[in-house]
Amino acid sequence: HADAYINRLLPVPDAAHKRRMLKKGAQVAAQMGVTSVHNMDGDDEQAALYAALEAEGELSVRVYVPYSIRLETPFEAIEQEAHPLKTKYHTPLVRGGCVKLFMDGVIETYTGLMVDPYTDNPATVGESNYTVEHYNRNVVEADRLGLQIFTHSVGDGGVRRVLDAYALAQQINGRRDSRHRVEHIEVIHPADLPRFKELGVIASMQPMHAPPSVDDGDIWQFRVGEGRWPLSFAWTTIQQAGATLAFGSDWPVASQNPLLGVHNTLNRKPWAEGMPDHHLPLADTLLAYTRDAAYAEFQEGVKGQLKPGYLADLVLLSADIFSIPPEQMKDVHPQLTVLGGRITYEV
């Protein structure tokens, strides 16, 4: 009752207010050198807000908007509500055609689903938001309709269930260039490493989520235990196993500044002696944020690279990032951001 009372006191933003705030948010993204975002939480109403800004000439990023499939989402809504967004929103700046689900929660609260029990709480392996049958049914249906699927999964048990469902969809519907994605993959079981390549699944990861060292006060490492550290935020190992790696931010959970993410991939320290640091070369890191992120939304033929015939989406940085020491990467900032040849930010 208290929550309902408080909600009645809070102002309800109208569409015009939402558009103004969204415009400001898109401008902040442009200021950070971002030209494209994968929205990760959406529906027809959200997509319409982006489309309205685009129609007014005030949208400063390209947006890929999923339909959020929640626990309470009726099965029929996948065909009746999610699928139509693929054709309804298909403009230069706003696109639909994907769905988003949450397999599990987060490691910090023991809600990430693990294969084996948590080290500091052996009574639990975490939680799944869905029964296996419920999740699989949604995945098979979305895949049947030709939709791309994003699934949040942080624990190695959750990642396994997601990969199992994607494999089932291929078995039932036939294999196609689906590019389904697993979002986060904070821990992966070694047995599942080759499955990304085998299934054509994209590993979508966020460098800012990884604790840079074991001494920064983060509880994450102690939840999973030292035995799982080598395959924690293991983007290097996942890439070496043949997966396509796409980097992002998970904003507002972490900063949307991609240069801070680049900094983290270059400067992360081993959590214990003899363990991998999971550094990626700078070039590979940039590709995960650009070319391969475009591939992760079926746009590798039009953006993500600077080459003839591609969209003029680019950022001019304050330093030559290939010549500065890695520890200075966090101080680099955009001087100019261009979207389709239009300046969206300039110092």
Side-chain angles (χ1 to χ4, degrees):
H1 296 301
D3 287 344
Y5 175 72
I6 291 172
N7 286 338
R8 287 199 301 270
L9 296 178
L10 295 174
V12 178
D14 59 18
H17 178 74
K18 289 180 179 179
R19 283 199 300 272
R20 287 195 299 272
M21 297 305 295
L22 195 58
K23 177 183 175 181
K24 289 182 179 180
Q27 288 171 338
V28 170
Q31 185 176 346
M32 293 187 178
V34 174
T35 57
S36 290
V37 299
H38 301 169
N39 196 64
M40 287 299 155
D41 172 30
D43 53 21
D44 184 57
E45 180 186 4
Q46 286 195 35
L49 284 171
Y50 284 114
L53 273 186
E54 180 182 14
E56 295 165 5
E58 296 183 333
L59 185 58
S60 53
V61 292
R62 304 185 195 277
V63 189
Y64 192 29
V65 185
Y67 178 89
S68 293
I69 299 177
R70 309 183 191 279
L71 273 175
E72 65 275 13
T73 299
F75 179 75
E76 298 74 20
I78 302 175
E79 182 169 14
Q80 295 172 3
E81 298 179 18
H83 185 251
L85 303 187
K86 186 172 185 176
T87 51
K88 183 175 182 179
Y89 299 102
H90 198 78
T91 65
L93 299 187
V94 183
R95 295 172 50 249
C98 48
V99 295
K100 170 71 183 297
L101 301 94
F102 280 81
M103 168 56 68
D104 60 1
V106 295
I107 298 296
E108 290 83 350
T109 60
Y110 302 109
T111 53
L113 182 63
M114 308 298 288
V115 172
D116 299 309
Y118 279 78
T119 298
D120 65 349
N121 187 359
T124 184
V125 295
E127 301 175 11
S128 170
N129 292 325
Y130 293 87
T131 65
V132 171
E133 294 75 19
H134 186 185
Y135 176 75
N136 286 358
R137 187 176 184 228
N138 283 338
V139 164
V140 169
E141 175 69 357
D143 179 79
R144 181 187 72 82
L145 293 166
L147 297 169
Q148 188 183 20
I149 304 168
F150 308 161
T151 305
H152 164 115
S153 187
V154 303
D156 55 3
V159 172
R160 176 169 292 178
R161 286 197 186 184
V162 174
L163 293 173
D164 287 348
Y166 292 168
L168 178 65
Q170 287 188 9
Q171 178 185 336
I172 293 175
N173 299 325
R175 182 157 185 151
R176 63 180 177 86
D177 184 16
S178 56
R179 304 188 196 180
H180 298 326
R181 297 164 44 159
V182 186
E183 307 295 327
H184 307 311
I185 321 170
E186 294 187 358
V187 191
I188 187 168
H189 192 280
D192 293 316
L193 280 168
R195 300 182 70 197
F196 282 84
K197 181 178 180 180
E198 291 167 2
L199 296 170
V201 172
I202 291 166
S204 175
M205 303 182 74
Q206 298 74 34
M208 287 295 290
H209 282 339
S213 75
V214 79
D215 302 317
D216 64 354
D218 201 304
I219 62 172
W220 193 98
Q221 294 102 322
F222 305 102
R223 291 281 187 267
V224 302
E226 191 169 337
R228 282 182 278 225
W229 288 358
L231 288 177
S232 297
F233 302 98
W235 40 68
T236 302
T237 304
I238 291 171
Q239 186 191 58
Q240 289 170 349
T244 296
L245 187 64
F247 277 161
S249 69
D250 201 30
W251 182 85
V253 177
S255 171
Q256 63 179 307
N257 183 349
L259 292 166
L260 294 181
V262 173
H263 179 90
N264 213 22
T265 62
L266 300 179
N267 293 282
R268 181 175 163 189
K269 304 212 172 17
W271 292 347
E273 186 176 351
M275 289 200 177
D277 54 33
H278 289 297
H279 288 174
L280 278 179
L282 176 57
D284 285 355
T285 303
L286 295 177
L287 289 173
Y289 273 110
T290 55
R291 183 195 67 187
D292 297 339
Y295 177 88
E297 59 161 311
F298 294 92
Q299 293 290 285
E300 75 278 9
V302 297
K303 68 179 182 180
Q305 301 179 70
L306 296 179
K307 57 191 298 185
Y310 277 53
L311 295 168
D313 295 356
L314 55 95
V315 58
L316 176 67
L317 300 176
S318 59
D320 177 357
I321 58 176
F322 283 93
S323 64
I324 62 174
E327 58 271 16
Q328 293 181 11
M329 190 63 63
K330 66 182 185 302
D331 301 319
V332 178
H333 56 274
Q335 301 280 83
L336 178 76
T337 305
V338 177
L339 182 74
R342 172 170 62 95
I343 294 174
T344 54
Y345 171 73
E346 188 173 14
V347 173

